[in-house]
Amino acid sequence: MAVPVTDAERAPRAVSPRHFVRLKLRVLRNNFRGQAWRIALFVGGVLFGLWFAAGGFFLLAAPGLAGESRYAVMTAAFGGGLLTLGWLLVPLVFFGVDETLDPARFALLPLSRRTLVTGLFAAALVSVPALSTLLTAAGLVVTAGALGGWSAALVGALGVVLGLLLCVAAARAMTSAFATMLRSRRVRDLAAVLLAVLAALLGPLQLLVLGAVQQADWDRLTGVARVVGWTPFGAPWTIGVDVAEGRAGAAVLKLLITVAAIGVLLLWWSRSLESAMVGAASAGPSRDRRGTAAGGAVGQLFPRAVGWARRDRFGALVARECRYWWRDARRRANLITVAVVGIFVPVMVNLGGSRLATEGGAAFGQATANSSPVLVTLSMVFVGVLASVTLANQFGFDGSAYAANVVAGVPGRVELRARMAAFSLYVVPILGAVAVVLAVVLGRPGWLGVMAGALFAAYGCGLAINASVSVLGGYSLPETSNPFAMNTGAAMAKSLYALLSMVASAAAAVPLVVAAALLGDVWLWLALPVGLAYGLGGALLGAYLAGDALDHRHPELLAAVTPRR
């Protein structure tokens, strides 16, 4: 006998944030199934997050345990502000954001914007970084409770929860907005400038903090901390201290500031999220690309920068990779990071960042006088290694599209040499600019050969190491237009592979540092030709060795870099 179905049972159930959280947990479980390395990376990420959270907890709880209310204000404002700033900038320049639930997958579902934003926001809170931040900020609750009792601790706990919501909302809104900008060909230059400015803020902020600590003007720092406490960066983290000090009215106003900031960020995210679901922005009117008598249709596929390349398999791969590095937002974001960090780091290392922040011009002159070819070589080795680390997962950028190369039977050596050549067309000019800028800043034009030689030697060694790392340890990236998106566990994999390749590449470049220390003025003349030969030989050797491994790992590599749905 058939049971009649009531109208209530026939009506569709309302979608709530709980469904998004359950969906994310189920997707995570499916991604871990049969993937021992993913489980190991996830466990490693959890342990690292707990270690970070424990250290941060004790730092933020120390003023309360010591009974120092003045230090409590500074710790809450500056510590909480750094947490918020870290959530804003770190996803842009290094780790990325977890896109286990890609917004584009919900484009065809009848979900309202409000439902989608609240659901994805709730799912974003279920992550290792969010848990680490919550445990770290719990130290502020201990401080508030030690200084003001249970009432202050409860208000501080509310502030910590709101602060975590603010951090997650800020990270999602920022990365989604930049993803939208980088997809648009019309505004890619503006997006590049904004991203470079955001990345460059990390260095000046560090200098300001070091200078303020060395001056030890605690009264001034307390005043600055109270000002920061009235901004969204510090408002949620300082309300517990305000209640402990008897400023309940200030705590209420800061709660309102925090709630308003969260609302604005979610609104901003919802606007850019809708654009991400629709797809890539238009690149403008199409141009006439009819073949000419000289180049024909095939010649039009080669950008001007690679017009020298042969019209064969190697040249076609170089042309394809060249276009991808210019048009793919994810790759372009990596190039911007190399440009910003590559210029900022060596300048601060050779000029002495903390002294430059406190002593100004006098420190500049003395640091310039104390600089040496060995120190310059060390800084250039770091920049060269950093420039090459982008290729540690070069096949992950292709994803399932790498199947075309597998089917075509492209030899591994040809594949790797072509990828190195295309990437170098963008990076080598950046490295040359870094060497020239540092030579001008230090007032040492005679050291230009040492700088360029160390740069290109370290860069070539990095290409060799990362060729093997990318073949043996490739991993998938999410299929999304957001260039900062990462699968769960992939951020840990990215950091581990980057650390491994940087250490190995730096070790391979150590002979350049030894030569700079032992040969003295003779090295000023030999550095450039030796560095060029060393780097080129290392890159070719790396492509030769890794190419053989790639020929035997085509199916495994394709399976590793193909996103799992």
Side-chain angles (χ1 to χ4, degrees):
M1 178 178 180
V3 178
V5 180
T6 63
D7 293 339
E9 294 175 339
R10 189 180 296 110
R13 296 181 180 180
V15 179
S16 65
R18 173 174 56 89
H19 294 89
F20 285 84
V21 174
R22 292 176 59 186
L23 178 61
K24 179 176 181 177
L25 294 176
R26 180 168 297 182
V27 171
L28 290 178
R29 185 185 63 184
N30 294 336
N31 286 337
F32 291 149
R33 185 175 299 168
Q35 298 287 334
W37 67 274
R38 287 180 180 267
I39 299 176
L41 290 175
F42 180 76
V43 172
V46 172
L47 294 178
F48 177 79
L50 292 177
W51 174 79
F52 171 82
F57 174 85
F58 287 112
L59 286 176
L60 297 180
L65 298 178
E68 294 286 347
S69 60
R70 181 176 63 175
Y71 296 145
V73 174
M74 290 189 294
T75 301
F78 293 143
L82 287 176
L83 281 175
T84 308
L85 190 63
W87 274 87
L88 276 173
L89 300 184
V90 171
L92 292 176
V93 299
F94 193 68
F95 284 106
V97 292
D98 180 12
E99 285 282 16
T100 302
L101 300 183
D102 186 2
R105 301 292 175 85
F106 300 91
L108 300 180
L109 298 180
L111 298 176
S112 65
R113 181 188 300 176
R114 178 179 179 181
T115 300
L116 189 61
V117 170
T118 54
L120 292 177
F121 185 55
L125 293 172
V126 183
S127 63
V128 175
L131 176 62
S132 300
T133 302
L134 186 64
L135 294 178
T136 299
L140 297 175
V141 180
V142 175
T143 295
L147 296 177
W150 286 104
S151 60
L154 291 176
V155 175
L158 176 61
V160 166
V161 173
L162 291 177
L164 176 62
L165 298 179
L166 178 68
C167 289
V168 176
R172 293 293 169 147
M174 184 66 68
T175 54
S176 182
F178 269 93
T180 303
M181 296 177 69
L182 287 174
R183 284 200 313 273
S184 174
R185 299 290 303 280
R186 294 174 179 267
V187 297
R188 65 173 182 266
D189 294 334
L190 176 60
V193 171
L194 292 177
L195 181 59
V197 170
L198 287 172
L201 286 177
L202 294 174
L205 179 64
Q206 180 184 8
L207 296 181
L208 291 177
V209 172
L210 291 176
V213 172
Q214 289 185 356
Q215 290 177 358
D217 190 349
W218 299 110
D219 293 333
R220 180 182 301 178
L221 287 178
T222 303
V224 174
R226 295 194 182 279
V227 172
V228 173
W230 284 99
T231 67
F233 287 94
W237 315 106
T238 56
I239 60 175
V241 178
D242 288 335
V243 173
E245 294 180 347
R247 297 194 301 272
V252 173
L253 291 178
K254 290 182 178 181
L255 284 175
L256 295 178
I257 291 174
T258 304
V259 172
I262 295 174
V264 170
L265 289 171
L266 291 179
L267 179 62
W268 183 21
W269 182 28
S270 68
R271 300 295 181 181
S272 58
L273 184 65
E274 188 176 50
S275 175
M277 293 173 60
V278 171
S282 173
S286 59
R287 292 188 243 174
D288 185 11
R289 293 189 176 273
R290 288 174 294 182
T292 61
V298 175
Q300 294 301 313
L301 298 177
F302 285 71
R304 294 180 181 178
V306 293
W308 49 267
R310 303 186 306 269
R311 273 32 176 189
D312 57 4
R313 186 158 44 186
F314 174 82
L317 288 172
V318 172
R320 188 201 67 171
E321 288 296 309
C322 219
R323 288 184 181 276
Y324 283 177
W325 279 106
W326 179 250
R327 294 185 177 182
D328 185 3
R330 199 195 315 260
R331 303 193 191 206
R332 195 160 59 236
N334 283 280
L335 291 176
I336 295 170
T337 302
V338 171
V340 173
V341 179
I343 292 178
F344 178 78
V345 170
V347 170
M348 300 314 302
V349 167
N350 288 276
L351 294 183
S354 60
R355 296 194 59 200
L356 186 63
T358 56
E359 300 177 15
F364 178 89
Q366 186 174 357
T368 302
N370 293 336
S371 185
S372 66
V374 177
L375 181 60
V376 168
T377 302
L378 284 172
S379 62
M380 293 296 97
V381 166
F382 172 78
V383 174
V385 168
L386 178 68
S388 64
V389 78
T390 303
L391 295 183
N393 188 37
Q394 54 186 319
F395 297 98
F397 293 123
D398 294 353
S400 58
Y402 179 63
N405 293 32
V406 176
V407 173
V410 179
R413 299 172 187 175
V414 176
E415 175 98 36
L416 293 175
R417 287 201 301 265
R419 290 175 179 266
M420 290 179 182
F423 183 65
S424 299
L425 287 176
Y426 293 99
V427 174
V428 167
I430 295 176
L431 297 182
V434 169
V436 172
V437 168
L438 187 59
V440 171
V441 171
L442 293 180
R444 302 280 190 174
W447 291 3
L448 183 59
V450 174
M451 300 173 186
L455 270 174
F456 294 127
Y459 174 66
C461 294
L463 291 180
I465 298 298
N466 286 293
S468 297
V469 172
S470 63
V471 171
L472 301 177
Y475 56 91
S476 64
L477 298 175
E479 291 183 314
T480 174
S481 55
N482 187 345
F484 312 106
M486 297 294 292
N487 288 322
T488 297
M492 190 64 184
K494 182 179 179 180
S495 60
L496 289 177
Y497 289 154
L499 179 61
L500 173 63
S501 63
M502 290 180 69
V503 171
S505 303
V510 165
L512 276 296
V513 182
V514 176
L518 298 180
L519 297 182
D521 293 339
V522 178
W523 185 244
L524 298 180
W525 300 95
L526 297 178
L528 183 57
V530 172
L532 288 173
Y534 193 85
L536 180 60
L540 294 177
L541 179 61
Y544 179 84
L545 298 177
D548 289 340
L550 180 58
D551 290 335
H552 295 86
R553 281 185 51 83
H554 279 309
E556 293 83 0
L557 182 59
L558 177 60
V561 301
T562 300
R564 302 184 64 181
R565 299 180 183 276

